Amino acid sequence: MVGSSHEALHRIFQKDPELLTRALQRVLGVPFPRPTEIAALNVDLTEIEPVERRVDTLLRAETDEGTYLLVVESQGKADKRKRGSWPYYLSYLYEKYRCEPVLIVITQSGSTAKWASRPIRLGFPGWHSLTVRPLVLGPDNVPVIADEKQAEADPTLAVLSAMTHGRGPGAMAILESLASALRTIDSDSAAVFAQFVDSCLADPQAKQMWRDLMTAVQYFWRHPLAEQVREEGREQGRLQKQQEMTLRVLEWRGIPVPDAVRERVLACEDLDQLEVWTQRAVHATNAAELFTDE
């Protein structure tokens, strides 16, 4: 139930909307510009439709000085939408857990790190209602750990090095050093670190390097990421077999297969589409008929 004083203020601002901005100027000394138009909006902020909002990693850190929520975001490139979503995440998490949230951004791009480190200020310039200052870890401030002894001395820092420098010509040395370091710690921690690194490697070549290194480690195959890798391998195998079957049917029937048709079939990664083409290959009079009605 809305109290009478609350209702009175509400009605005053409805009657004279500019009263609020004049109060900011005269009472608080905030040089807010004179509004050219003020519109009353719906005050109900309840979200009826579910909106999916996820952070990449959320950790609760207990310290001698209090409890903190570490909100970790992996950022590949600048994204204007973060100006709204990051403040929302922090406010929501504080309201839910009543712990101080700390936003940490991890990136492999120097330009993205520079962008992410800029404070997000919401409100009137000079009198901001909300300021968000991300803590950014990127290639400019995280050391490169490409030596096995260094990695083994501090595996956690080696993980962070791989997450921020895991692309480019130096990626192989960094990932090899980290793989060596993971063999020196307990298998459960190593498996978690392995998945963290896998999820942060945006470069496909670096990701494949990492997975190749991890296949030689026994503990890796007990981790959920291993099942993902195996399933991806099985899916790729099914695609290759169906691609080969489509082309083989045409060749068995003595139908020439132009390079353009062969390349299109081998490039297709839709198993259902390949099965349709294989069925058409049984009755086609030329290779181009595979793509009828497409």
Side-chain angles (χ1 to χ4, degrees):
M1 179 67 68
V2 177
S4 58
S5 60
H6 187 287
E7 184 67 19
L9 288 172
H10 176 63
R11 292 187 180 278
I12 288 172
F13 292 135
Q14 277 189 331
K15 182 69 175 177
D16 184 6
E18 290 188 14
L19 175 61
L20 185 58
T21 57
R22 291 202 306 272
L24 293 178
Q25 295 169 347
R26 298 177 184 178
V27 178
L28 298 180
V30 178
F32 198 94
R34 184 178 183 280
T36 58
E37 180 181 357
I38 296 181
L41 303 178
N42 191 338
V43 298
D44 188 355
L45 303 183
T46 304
E47 296 186 17
I48 298 177
E49 297 183 0
V51 178
E52 182 175 356
R53 301 182 190 273
R54 295 177 180 270
V55 296
D56 292 331
T57 301
L58 179 62
L59 305 172
R60 183 173 65 186
E62 301 283 354
T63 74
D64 293 337
E65 299 178 2
T67 302
Y68 294 91
L69 296 176
L70 304 184
V71 185
V72 185
E73 286 276 274
S74 178
Q75 194 68 29
K77 60 182 179 180
D79 185 351
K80 292 181 179 179
R81 294 174 298 179
K82 299 300 184 180
R83 175 177 166 82
S85 60
W86 283 347
Y88 174 88
Y89 294 160
L90 301 180
S91 299
Y92 174 83
L93 289 170
Y94 178 78
E95 178 65 20
K96 182 175 182 178
Y97 296 102
R98 293 296 172 176
C99 299
E100 299 294 340
V102 179
L103 176 60
I104 302 170
V105 179
I106 300 177
T107 182
Q108 297 179 355
S109 165
S111 60
T112 302
K114 185 177 180 180
W115 163 81
S117 63
R118 298 171 187 163
I120 299 173
R121 297 186 173 95
L122 303 181
F124 181 64
W127 300 86
H128 299 101
S129 301
L130 177 64
T131 300
V132 175
R133 299 177 63 89
L135 300 175
V136 182
L137 297 172
D140 294 334
N141 58 8
V142 175
V144 175
I145 307 295
D147 178 79
E148 290 186 6
K149 291 183 178 179
Q150 284 184 311
E152 292 173 5
D154 194 339
T156 305
L157 184 60
V159 169
L160 190 58
S161 176
M163 294 167 71
T164 53
H165 297 282
R167 66 179 180 183
M172 190 62 184
I174 294 172
L175 296 177
E176 285 181 337
S177 298
L178 175 58
S180 176
L182 293 186
R183 295 187 180 95
T184 66
I185 64 177
D186 67 278
S187 60
D188 289 339
S189 297
V192 172
F193 286 155
Q195 187 172 24
F196 277 167
V197 173
D198 185 90
S199 64
C200 288
L201 291 175
D203 182 4
Q205 185 176 3
K207 186 184 288 285
Q208 189 57 52
M209 285 181 195
W210 181 242
R211 292 185 172 184
D212 290 343
L213 288 168
M214 289 296 96
T215 55
V217 183
Q218 291 184 357
Y219 68 73
F220 175 73
W221 296 108
R222 300 199 303 271
H223 195 272
L225 176 60
E227 181 57 34
Q228 175 187 337
V229 173
R230 287 195 291 267
E231 180 57 32
E232 289 176 359
R234 288 193 289 266
E235 179 67 17
Q236 189 60 39
R238 288 192 290 267
L239 285 171
Q240 291 178 351
K241 287 182 180 178
Q242 198 65 44
Q243 291 165 349
E244 293 170 359
M245 178 62 72
T246 302
L247 298 174
R248 192 174 297 120
V249 169
L250 293 174
E251 293 168 351
W252 283 344
R253 298 184 60 229
I255 297 177
V257 181
D259 290 342
V261 171
R262 184 179 301 277
E263 291 173 2
R264 183 171 177 181
V265 170
L266 294 177
C268 180
E269 296 186 351
D270 185 333
L271 192 59
D272 293 337
Q273 181 63 73
L274 287 168
E275 290 176 351
V276 170
W277 289 348
T278 302
Q279 293 173 5
R280 290 177 181 173
V282 175
H283 306 286
T285 57
N286 63 75
E289 291 183 9
L290 294 183
F291 315 127
T292 302
D293 300 331
E294 296 178 18

